[in-house]
Every structure is written in C-alpha cells, then in structure tokens.
Amino acid sequence: MHDDRSLVEARLRRVLDERIRPAVYPESVPLDVAVWHAPGEPVPVAEGLAAEPGPIRVGDRWGAPWGTSWFRVTGTVPEEWAGRTVEALLDLGFDENMPGFQCEGLVYRPDGTPVKGLNPRNQWVRIGAPVAGGEEVRLHVEAASNPVILDYHPFRPTALGDKDTAGHEPQYTLTRMDLAVLDETVWNLVIDLEVLGELMAELPADAPRRWEILRAVEAALDAIDLQDVNGTARSARSRLTGVLSVPAAPSAHRISAVGHAHIDSAWLWPLRETVRKVARTTANMTALAEDEPDFVFAMSQAQQWAWVKEHRPEVWARVKKAVADGRFVPAGGMWVESDTNMPGSEAMARQFVHGKRFFLDEFGIENDEAWLPDTFGFAAGLPQIIRAAGTTRLLTQKISWSQTNKFPHHTFWWEGIDGTRIFTHFPPVDTYNCSMKGSELAHASRNFKDKGRARHSLAPTGWGDGGGGTTREMVAKAARVRDLEGSPAVVWETPREFFEKAEADYPDPPVWVGELYLELHRATLTSQAQTKQGNRRSEHLLREAELWAATAAVRTGFPYPYEELDRIWKTVLLHQFHDILPGSSIAWVHREARATYRRIAAELDGIIDAAQRALAGEGTRSLVFNAAPHTRHGVPAGAAGEAEPSAEVTVAERPEGGYVLANGPLRVEIDARGLVVSAYDTAAGRETVAPGTAANLLQLHPDFPNMWDAWDVDAFYRNAVTDLTSVDELTAGEDGRSVRIVRSFGKSAVSQVLSLRPGERRLSIDTEVDWHETEKFLKLAFPLDLHAERYASETQFGHFHRPTHTNTSWEAAKFEACNHRFVHLEEPGWGVAIVNDSTYGHDVTRAVRTDGDRGTTTTVRVSLLRAPRFPDPETDQGVHRFRHALVPGAAIADAVREGWRINLPERRMTGGQEVAPLVTVDNDAVVVTAVKLADDGSGDVVVRFHEAHGGRARATLTAGFEIAGVSVTDLLERPLDGQDPERDGCRIPVRLRPFELVTLRLAPL
C-alpha cells in the first residue's frame, strides 16, 4: 500500500481549521454594546454596574494600560433558535496565545452575581441549553486592559510595567460581541479529531495503532460535506467511535490530572490585579465543576483564597460549596507559593503556619502536600520545615527548566540538612500549564524516569501564570483519553489521591540529598536589592517585636499585639512570593513593595519601642537591648542591661599610603587604593588575605543574559571584568576607628566605611552605592588565603555545604548560589566568615598560586547590584546601602553568631531597670529563632530553637517565669503526641540532632 500518511494528516489540519472549527457556531447575531471607563483604579462592583455607559462598537479601540472598562451587552435570543444551545461570544480583543497575559474580564448579571471569567481561551458565556427563544440578554463585563509585557519579542524594555509610566493609549480592539448557536455535535467532533490527530502524531510511524487511527480519521473526513459540516458532523463522528473505544494497554502510564491555574500573586501585573485574576479564575472553575461531574480543581496560596473571601463574597460562596462537594481543593498549605531560597527560617515556617491555619479554619482541611510548581529551586533546610508543619509531601515542576543537568528522578525522597525526608513528585509532563494535548501526555509517558518501578505521575491541567484555569475542551480531551489505546490513561484526581497512589506504587523511591538547585534564574538572588533588604529587615523586626512584646506581656501585662503581628506577618509572607522577593516583577510591584516595607518597619519599630519602654520603666540608666540569640557585650540574649566596657581601636597612617586599623584581635591594612591588603588574626598569627591580592575589591561585569533578564545571569558574564581600584577620597573617620573610601565609575559612585569595634574580631564594611549603570553586575570580592574543598552557607535552620571546585557539571552549574546571613570557609582549626545584613547571591572560586608558596586562594564574592531592563527598565537605579563584615579566625559558631549580630543591632534607651531574658539556653549551638505568645491568645509562650552548628547538642532551656506545663508542638503550636519533655521546675533539658528544629509551648502559672 502506498504511504499517504502525510497527505491525510495535512488534510486533517486544513479541514479542521477552515471548515469544522468555524462550524461550531453556525449562526450568530450581534449584541448591543456600551461601555463606561473607570477613571482611576478599579471600582466596587456595585459602582461599575450602576455607571452610565457610553457608545462603543465592535472594531473600536478601548482600554488604556491598567485601566478598567465596564461593558454592558444586551440583546434578544431569536425566536427561531428555540430548543438550541445559545452562548454569548465576547471577544475583548484577545490573542488566543496569551491567556493570562493580556486583557481579561469577569461577567456579571445585572444583580451583581458573577457568572464566569473571560480570557483568550474562554470567550463564551452560556445563555441557555436549550433556550426557549425570545429571552432578553443583559450582561456586564468588568474588563481589565492589562497591557502585554511579555510579548512575541520578549524581554524588551517597556514603560508599560507601571501605571505611572504606561501612558493612556488604548491597548485593545473590541473584536466580537455576539449571540451564537453552539452546535455541540460539531464541537465534539473537533475534540474527537484533535485527540486522535494529536495521539496519532506521537505514535511510531510504523505502529499499527497509528494507521488504524489514520484510516478512521480519513473515513470521518470523507463523511463530512464541507458545504454542510453541521448536517454531516454526526455521521463523521460515527466513523471515529471504534478507534476511540479501544482501551489502553494494561502497562499504560497513569496520569492524575489536577485542575490547575497557577496564578502568580504578582508578576507582570500588580497585586491589585491578582485579586481580580483570582476572582475570574475561581468563578470559571466553580462553573466548570458544576458542568463537569468528574472535574477536580486544586488551588494553592491561602492569600488568594483570602482575597476571594474579602473582595468577591458571591464567588466565595460558590467556592465554599465546591470545597464541601470535594470538587475545589485547597492545595499546598502555604500563604503563597513563595521563593524558598531567600526567606529566613521563621518566615519559611510561617508560610506553612498561616497557610495551613487558613484552610483549617475555613474548611477543616489539613494539607498533606506542599505545592510549589514554579519556585526557583529549593533550599536544603525546607524538608524539615515541611514536616514540622505536619506535611509529608512536595510537588514541584520548575527544576525541569535546568539548563545544564537533567534531574534524574520524577518521584523520590528529598532529604534535608537534618535528615528529614519528604516524598516528592516532579511531574514528567514538564509544565504546570498542561492543556491535555497529545504531545504533552506522550512526553509525560516517555519522559517518566521511574518506568519499571512506578507508573503514576501528575499533570497540573489548566492555563496559568496569569490565571484562567482549566477549560471545557481540556476536560473533554481528558474524558477521551481516560482509557484509550496508545495514550497514557488520564483520570481527574485530587493531589491527595495522586500521592496516595504514588506512595503505594513506589514505596522505596531513590533519595536526593541537599538543595534542589535550579540551574537557571540565578540572578533572582540579587535583582531588586531594596525588595530583598525590605524582606530581610522585616523578618528581623518581626523577631524583635515578638520577643519584646512577649517578654513585656509576661512581665508587665503589656497588651500583646496579636492582630497587628498577624497582619504584618501575612504582608511579609505575601511579598516573599516567587516573583516579588526574587525581583522578577514589573516596576509597579517593586515600587509598592518598597513603600510597604517602609510602613511595616515604622509599625514594628513602634511595637518594639512600646514593649521595651514597658520593660525598662522610668529612669536614667543607659540600657542596651540585645535581641540576638547570643550574649553580646555582656548583655544576655533577649535581655537588656549595661554593656561592658572594652578596649580601644587605633587608626594609623600606613607608610606606603592608606591606613592601618587595629583593635587587638585584628590588624587590618588598607592601601592607597582603599583595598584591604592584610587582615591579620593576631591570636592565630595568621593572614586572611591571599598573597598578592586585595579584599574589599569591587568588581564590575557586563550582564546581558540570553533571555529572562531580571531572572538570569549566564556564566559568560565572568569573561569580562573591571576592578574598581581608582579612589576619589581616602580618609580616616572622625570616630577614630574607621576609614572612609569614595570611588566613582561610569555614571555611579560608591562610598565605603571600613571599621573595627573594640575587642571584636570583625572588620565591618558599610557600602553605599549611588547606582546608575545599565546591564552591569557589581560584586564585592574577598580573596582568602585558605584551602577548602567546600564552604558553608546559611539556610533555614542551619547551613549547607557546597564544593569550591567544579569537578562535575553539577558543581560547575552552581556558579551563583544563595546564602542567608553568612558564608563560612575553613581549614582544620581556622576559618573565615563573611556575614551580611541584606544580600543573598554569591560565588566561591578557588585557584592555586603558581609562584611563591603555591598555596590556594579561595575567593568569595558577594553579589551587590544588577541593572537588567526587563521587566523593570529602571531596576535598582538609585542609592543602596549594604553592611558586610569579614570575620577572620571564625569557626562555624562565630559565623552563626556574627550573622545574627549584624542583622539585629543593639537598641539603646534609658530606663530604670535591667531586663532579664524570658527564656535562656546554656549552649550557643542551640539558637532560639522565635520567642512569642501562642497564636490562640492563651498566653502560652512559644519558643522555637534549633541546633545551628551541625553537630549533636545538649542544652537546658530555662524559663524566666513560673510554668505550669510544657509540650513539644508542631509549627502550628499543636502538641505532638508522646513528646512532652521532662522538666525540673522551669528548667527543660533538651537533646538535639544536627540542625534539629524544636518548638516548645510553655504554659505560665
């Protein structure tokens, strides 16, 4: 037989496009349209419905960037359509390739009842099935003219990312406003042919099944009269019944489809627009669940559920009903789908506390899974946090984006720094926007790396990023491949149902130890520096506010600010979303974030000040409040007292130019260029700076990645570098313990103050950059005379080691990595720490010196600033301030301690009495991360702590108040069965494994 396969396949494509799809709506009549453009920000629904609209016609332009237009569409169903299915087709000017990324709408009835959302892949509104004929139609559409930021030519700078710069030019053309008859037979024929055509294309060319489908499709096409598609569609469908009814092979891969609409809480749109995106999507998904009995939809991010509850109560009522029916599933148990690299220990814990508590309070549902499909890699401390929240599973997708190495598993145990393991699934479909295409399903089956040992995977199904969710077409396709030869078998299931099957299917999966590093988007550790600083500062202010407010509440009856702290925590957690904290959102988002962080800081400073004044009382004693978890200058952790006096610092001119700073433990030489050429540890008799090099070296690189400008830094950026060694000013500070350096470069300037404090083995580096570069990357380098094959960087509740070498492609790919408060390197008996107050990105490299002592130079470089132009063309322009410190002779304990100290500076005030700590721990390896009152308002004191040095630890925690009882709890402050600790009065002995996290709840007498 002659091979006519290509001929039939080409015929199928053309007939579908030009004849069958256009026949889905064979008859239509235009609707009357009027519009009212809201003058500013979105208005309440009642106001939009009541506004008097003006004229507009199909073909007219509408919608200034970020505007809101209220369309009123009216019409009458023709009498002759009686008994037929009728829909309104409302095309606002959609590009079907951009669901979630352009204009959208929410349809209302005249009484304000929401109907469904409109987007490029969902333009219909059901009027009746069937209609009686003669019905009056009146609908209102709240339409958002969100501009297209990520266009067909992506990553080009645009002013559209902020309403202040976007202008007023209309963005869209009103394209169609019709009533139309839906021919459901033709619609189903389209789905039949799409499913078979897509399946056929994925089968081997010599497979009998492919040819059987080809001949059935050919017969269906022969049965269609191209001049009467509607009259012959039923006959065509009958020719496909046979091939659509052949069951799947017993060995077919099994896919759990989960309805999904990954909605970025902010990205190429501001937070206020996400509120409306969520309303549109949830309205659509509840409507779809009512129409499709097998469909199940899962939505994560408790913040988004809370937005629906607050802003769209009518939609919320439908959501609650769908949840009760088991059709709409809360997923993930986090406040938002946050970044997990940069949030601090407590913040990461609170993501689960606030997320899980919301779903428990609203629905009585406890989430078993963390749901993070789009997060940019996962910190090694996360498994313990997930488990401590009462969650046992994790779903992610983004690591499929890694550029260099392909992750070796799809279902596996992920083991964190303390040994905790989480059952993890990484869907082989390689998208969190699955649309049930045959190519996607076939890819999932072929790509699944656990074949032969497991057979289940998950497919998050629906349009996402900007929302939209699952469509009726996706549901129809899934129904046809539920049990179809040649295709994986697809069934709609909840995340819990999938994980239960996967765990039973694969009881002993492989183990991956350590971070899940994404080999992409590394620059998100640096972009939008002020957003990152706002986050770090907020985290530590919240620690202080809880500590001092709890201490004052127990000691003085100070009113603990439960509601204020709850609200502020949720705001901080929201801004840790994986496109806000990473710096990858539009200018509007980051402008608002900076303002929000300023408000948070002012409010928290007020809470801290009020609590400290309540504790200190009236008087003239000079008190130092120490919120760090270690004693400082004689003041215990969590206490206030008078600081111990200490030795002096000297500043002397250096004969070769520059200055020498000395304080006893350290002697630091700063040359005439303002660079540190020596940092001598006098106790160890050891030099820190590698021979022939200089530390505190600012380095400037070109930075123009191949794509994803705010997200990516590509390895080739290192090929060119400019060392900033010219100095405009070099002077000794008037305080007698510092040196000031001023430089200028390009259009920018930098000033630094290098200082020592009396008796401390730490060189402080305060840097101010007035940054006006474009597509540049600024680093601060510390070449160290240190031989180390690995280094430690702090992560949540501990630290994680990475190699300094690049033996393998996995190691080479980690050329930019994340740390929290410190990076630490050591040889046996001597090490160096570099600590910071607000930076995350860094790189570590090593070289062997070819002359002199042939020793090893290990260079740590801190990432300070970038200047990408997409999506925010003015990224990081302006003044920035950073604090770093070089700590020679540091053990890991010193790195931990100094990292806390630089982030929690002492606070001073006058008062009448010293303040004893509310709790104390007698081992510095055990670090208290939170002291607070229990969230339930009981007055119980909650203390969270962990082993921070990476070894086993014994300690005694002592309460500074009488206690009636103590219990070990999970992160949600619920007692864990059988784990009540022993105690001797107010003394509680504890034993901890390396990096073990513990939460205690102390009930006061």
Side-chain angles (χ1 to χ4, degrees):
M1 185 177 70
H2 297 297
D3 184 353
D4 62 348
R5 176 173 51 85
S6 297
L7 188 69
V8 176
E9 291 171 356
R11 179 188 179 194
L12 172 62
R13 288 192 293 271
R14 184 175 186 192
V15 172
L16 260 177
D17 286 344
E18 297 185 22
R19 293 293 187 271
I20 303 177
R21 288 194 183 98
V24 169
Y25 291 102
E27 299 177 58
S28 64
V29 295
L31 287 160
D32 294 322
V33 190
V35 66
W36 175 71
H37 302 293
E41 284 294 277
V43 299
V45 172
E47 184 176 342
L49 293 174
E52 186 61 35
I56 190 172
R57 296 178 300 177
V58 168
D60 287 351
R61 301 283 290 172
W62 72 277
W66 305 114
T68 300
S69 298
W70 283 84
F71 291 96
R72 185 186 67 194
V73 293
T74 56
T76 304
V77 177
E79 298 284 354
E80 59 269 24
W81 289 0
R84 304 172 78 178
T85 298
V86 175
E87 294 180 343
L89 301 181
L90 309 178
D91 186 344
L92 302 176
F94 295 128
D95 179 339
E96 70 171 12
N97 295 316
M98 291 188 176
F101 291 89
Q102 53 165 218
C103 58
E104 300 171 51
L106 182 56
V107 180
Y108 295 90
R109 296 189 179 92
D111 64 359
T113 304
V115 180
K116 67 186 294 286
L118 297 177
N119 63 59
R121 296 297 182 105
N122 215 321
Q123 303 178 21
W124 57 273
V125 180
R126 180 63 59 88
I127 302 300
V131 296
E135 292 96 330
E136 294 297 320
V137 175
R138 184 185 181 95
L139 299 171
H140 298 262
V141 181
E142 180 191 17
S145 51
N146 302 331
V148 175
I149 306 294
L150 192 67
D151 211 335
Y152 288 100
H153 299 285
F155 317 123
R156 291 188 176 178
T158 174
L160 291 171
D162 196 325
K163 63 176 181 178
D164 292 344
T165 59
H168 304 283
E169 186 69 23
Q171 299 290 292
Y172 298 102
T173 300
L174 197 64
T175 301
R176 185 176 188 181
M177 293 274 148
D178 288 347
L179 282 178
V181 172
L182 171 67
D183 188 326
E184 296 184 72
T185 301
V186 176
W187 185 87
N188 277 292
L189 176 61
V190 170
I191 302 298
D192 291 343
L193 290 171
E194 286 182 351
V195 167
L196 290 171
E198 291 164 5
L199 173 59
M200 183 169 57
E202 299 302 322
L203 295 171
D206 58 356
R209 174 65 169 162
R210 179 163 182 163
W211 287 90
E212 290 169 1
I213 295 172
L214 184 82
R215 292 304 163 215
V217 167
E218 183 179 42
L221 295 177
D222 289 343
I224 294 173
D225 181 344
L226 298 184
Q227 277 67 52
D228 185 16
V229 172
N230 300 91
T232 55
R234 191 174 305 279
S235 175
R237 288 200 73 200
S238 69
R239 310 294 177 93
L240 302 175
T241 302
V243 290
L244 283 170
S245 61
V246 181
S251 61
H253 184 65
R254 309 290 175 180
I255 292 179
S256 298
V258 178
H260 189 236
H262 170 67
I263 304 177
D264 287 313
S265 290
W267 179 28
L268 305 180
W269 44 85
L271 287 167
R272 67 90 154 143
E273 192 55 36
T274 313
V275 174
R276 302 200 295 176
K277 283 178 175 286
V278 174
R280 297 172 199 131
T281 298
T282 51
N284 258 354
M285 295 304 95
T286 52
L288 188 61
E290 291 172 359
D291 293 340
E292 302 289 348
D294 294 331
F295 175 63
V296 177
F297 182 77
M299 190 169 89
S300 68
Q301 308 192 74
Q303 170 68 87
Q304 296 188 0
W305 293 70
W307 279 334
V308 178
K309 180 181 179 181
E310 178 183 358
H311 296 282
R312 291 292 191 271
E314 300 87 354
V315 179
W316 179 248
R318 288 163 52 177
V319 167
K320 289 184 69 174
K321 180 182 182 302
V323 171
D325 293 341
R327 311 292 304 287
F328 204 110
V329 181
M334 296 175 68
W335 191 247
V336 295
E337 289 182 13
S338 74
D339 180 80
T340 75
N341 285 312
M342 291 176 282
S345 303
E346 273 303 307
M348 201 73 254
R350 304 300 175 95
Q351 285 286 352
F352 289 91
V353 169
H354 287 284
K356 294 196 75 168
R357 188 172 286 144
F358 181 89
F359 293 140
L360 282 165
D361 290 347
E362 294 293 337
F363 307 112
I365 291 176
E366 174 115 15
N367 296 99
D368 292 324
E369 76 292 325
W371 185 274
L372 292 165
D374 191 27
T375 295
F376 309 153
F378 298 88
L382 187 58
Q384 180 175 206
I385 299 171
I386 294 173
R387 180 77 68 167
T391 297
T392 60
R393 299 152 172 167
L394 169 67
L395 179 132
T396 180
Q397 182 65 69
K398 198 71 171 190
I399 47 178
S400 66
W401 286 39
S402 284
Q403 287 178 316
T404 306
N405 300 285
K406 201 165 182 63
F407 196 76
H409 317 298
H410 281 110
T411 301
F412 57 98
W413 286 113
W414 178 30
E415 182 177 316
I417 56 175
D418 72 313
T420 296
R421 291 181 176 180
I422 296 295
F423 190 84
T424 302
H425 183 63
F426 161 37
V429 72
D430 280 351
T431 178
Y432 47 81
N433 296 323
C434 176
S435 61
M436 284 290 129
K437 285 184 179 178
S439 57
E440 294 170 333
L441 302 180
H443 176 76
S445 179
R446 287 193 297 263
N447 187 42
F448 189 53
K449 292 184 171 55
D450 307 313
K451 288 189 285 283
R453 297 184 181 274
R455 59 189 304 195
H456 286 87
S457 73
L458 184 146
T461 302
W463 299 114
D465 289 320
T470 318
T471 65
R472 62 183 178 183
E473 289 79 11
M474 296 175 195
V475 176
K477 285 188 171 186
R480 285 159 174 79
V481 296
R482 183 182 182 93
D483 188 15
L484 181 64
E485 185 187 358
S487 171
V490 177
V491 61
W492 293 103
E493 291 186 306
T494 66
R496 182 192 294 267
E497 289 169 335
F498 160 74
F499 274 109
E500 287 174 349
K501 287 184 177 179
E503 288 178 338
D505 188 35
Y506 204 9
D508 190 25
V511 178
W512 181 270
V513 178
E515 66 183 334
L516 293 172
Y517 181 91
L518 176 63
E519 296 172 353
L520 195 74
H521 292 2
R522 303 167 182 89
T524 58
L525 303 174
T526 305
S527 298
Q528 297 288 359
Q530 290 183 356
T531 298
K532 291 170 171 58
Q533 288 178 325
N535 172 73
R536 179 78 70 87
R537 184 65 176 140
S538 297
E539 290 179 353
H540 288 88
L541 285 170
L542 277 160
R543 171 195 170 84
E544 289 191 84
E546 288 181 339
L547 169 65
W548 300 124
T551 305
V554 173
R555 295 274 165 72
T556 73
F558 179 81
Y560 191 80
Y562 290 102
E563 293 183 2
E564 293 89 338
L565 291 172
D566 179 79
R567 171 177 46 78
I568 294 171
W569 262 118
K570 288 173 179 174
T571 301
V572 172
L573 299 177
L574 167 59
H575 286 79
Q576 291 176 340
F577 178 74
H578 65 251
D579 275 309
I580 303 179
L581 179 54
S584 46
S585 288
I586 55 174
W588 189 349
V589 173
H590 292 288
R591 171 172 56 80
E592 289 190 331
R594 292 190 293 269
T596 297
Y597 285 130
R598 287 192 294 270
R599 290 194 300 271
I600 286 172
E603 189 170 0
L604 289 172
D605 277 330
I607 292 171
I608 293 165
D609 182 72
Q612 289 179 338
R613 291 191 181 280
L615 288 164
E618 296 297 326
T620 59
R621 296 179 64 181
S622 178
L623 298 176
V624 174
F625 281 80
N626 175 25
H630 307 92
T631 297
R632 177 162 50 184
H633 303 138
V635 179
E642 296 181 5
E644 295 174 347
S646 54
E648 294 183 355
V649 177
T650 62
V651 181
E653 292 189 5
R654 187 170 174 267
E656 304 93 329
Y659 294 92
V660 177
L661 291 172
N663 67 349
L666 280 184
R667 183 179 184 275
V668 177
E669 293 190 38
I670 301 163
D671 71 5
R673 301 170 298 171
L675 303 179
V676 175
V677 293
S678 174
Y680 191 76
D681 179 351
T682 57
R686 172 123 184 201
E687 177 58 63
T688 306
V689 181
T693 68
N696 189 44
L697 174 64
L698 289 163
Q699 295 183 300
L700 192 65
H701 294 271
D703 182 18
F704 188 62
N706 288 343
M707 57 194 306
W708 297 110
D709 296 39
W711 295 257
D712 284 359
V713 56
D714 289 329
F716 55 74
Y717 88 91
R718 292 179 171 178
N719 296 348
V721 62
T722 301
D723 292 344
L724 303 180
T725 58
S726 298
V727 61
D728 299 338
E729 182 182 334
L730 180 65
T731 56
E734 294 181 0
D735 58 5
R737 61 185 190 188
S738 64
V739 172
R740 183 169 183 265
I741 306 121
V742 178
R743 308 180 193 279
S744 56
F745 58 94
K747 298 178 181 178
S748 304
V750 59
S751 64
Q752 291 182 297
V753 175
L754 277 57
S755 62
L756 295 178
R757 290 191 61 167
E760 295 185 352
R761 192 172 52 188
R762 179 183 72 219
L763 174 65
S764 295
I765 303 169
D766 291 81
T767 303
E768 180 178 294
V769 186
D770 189 5
W771 181 247
H772 297 284
E773 303 307 300
T774 298
E775 294 164 352
K776 295 290 193 295
F777 197 2
L778 185 64
K779 292 263 189 175
L780 179 62
F782 298 88
L784 308 173
D785 189 8
L786 195 75
H787 179 84
E789 292 185 357
R790 66 177 192 169
Y791 72 97
S793 62
E794 190 186 33
T795 188
Q796 292 100 358
F797 298 112
H799 55 267
F800 175 66
H801 287 98
R802 298 186 185 92
T804 59
H805 57 75
T806 54
N807 284 355
T808 71
S809 59
W810 294 87
E811 292 147 358
K814 296 181 181 181
F815 59 82
E816 185 79 4
C818 182
N819 68 284
H820 286 190
R821 287 169 289 231
F822 70 78
V823 168
H824 178 257
L825 303 93
E826 67 178 344
E827 296 173 0
W830 194 84
V832 178
I834 296 168
V835 299
N836 72 84
D837 78 337
S838 60
T839 56
Y840 296 91
H842 69 276
D843 67 86
V844 179
T845 55
R846 66 198 301 269
V848 174
R849 301 188 286 272
T850 57
D851 55 1
D853 65 356
R854 292 183 295 177
T856 301
T857 298
T858 304
T859 301
V860 179
R861 299 197 309 161
V862 176
S863 303
L864 296 183
L865 289 165
R866 300 183 68 238
R869 301 188 65 211
F870 183 88
D872 176 3
E874 299 296 320
T875 301
D876 279 332
Q877 301 298 296
V879 176
H880 304 270
R881 297 176 180 87
F882 307 96
R883 295 196 70 204
H884 295 86
L886 175 68
V887 190
I892 195 69
D894 302 300
V896 172
R897 182 185 63 250
E898 295 299 337
W900 278 102
R901 286 180 176 176
I902 199 172
N903 283 274
L904 286 167
E906 303 139 312
R907 292 178 182 262
R908 298 176 181 270
M909 69 168 50
T910 58
Q913 59 193 5
E914 293 190 351
V915 179
L918 195 59
V919 295
T920 59
V921 180
D922 63 0
N923 184 343
D924 277 356
V926 178
V927 170
V928 175
T929 59
V931 177
K932 59 187 288 292
L933 294 194
D935 292 340
D936 61 8
S938 64
D940 289 355
V941 175
V942 172
V943 184
R944 189 150 32 247
F945 53 91
H946 71 288
E947 196 288 319
H949 296 173
R952 293 184 180 270
R954 292 186 178 186
T956 298
L957 184 144
T958 303
F961 55 96
E962 294 297 319
I963 59 176
V966 58
S967 59
V968 179
T969 76
D970 66 5
L971 293 179
L972 277 70
E973 301 168 7
R974 301 174 297 191
L976 299 174
D977 292 340
Q979 296 193 31
D980 288 352
E982 297 178 0
R983 68 183 178 97
D984 179 10
C986 297
R987 294 164 54 84
I988 305 160
V990 295
R991 293 185 179 186
L992 300 179
R993 301 185 311 273
F995 302 128
E996 183 179 1
L997 164 65
V998 176
T999 304
L1000 293 183
R1001 180 167 179 151
L1002 313 177
L1005 273 175

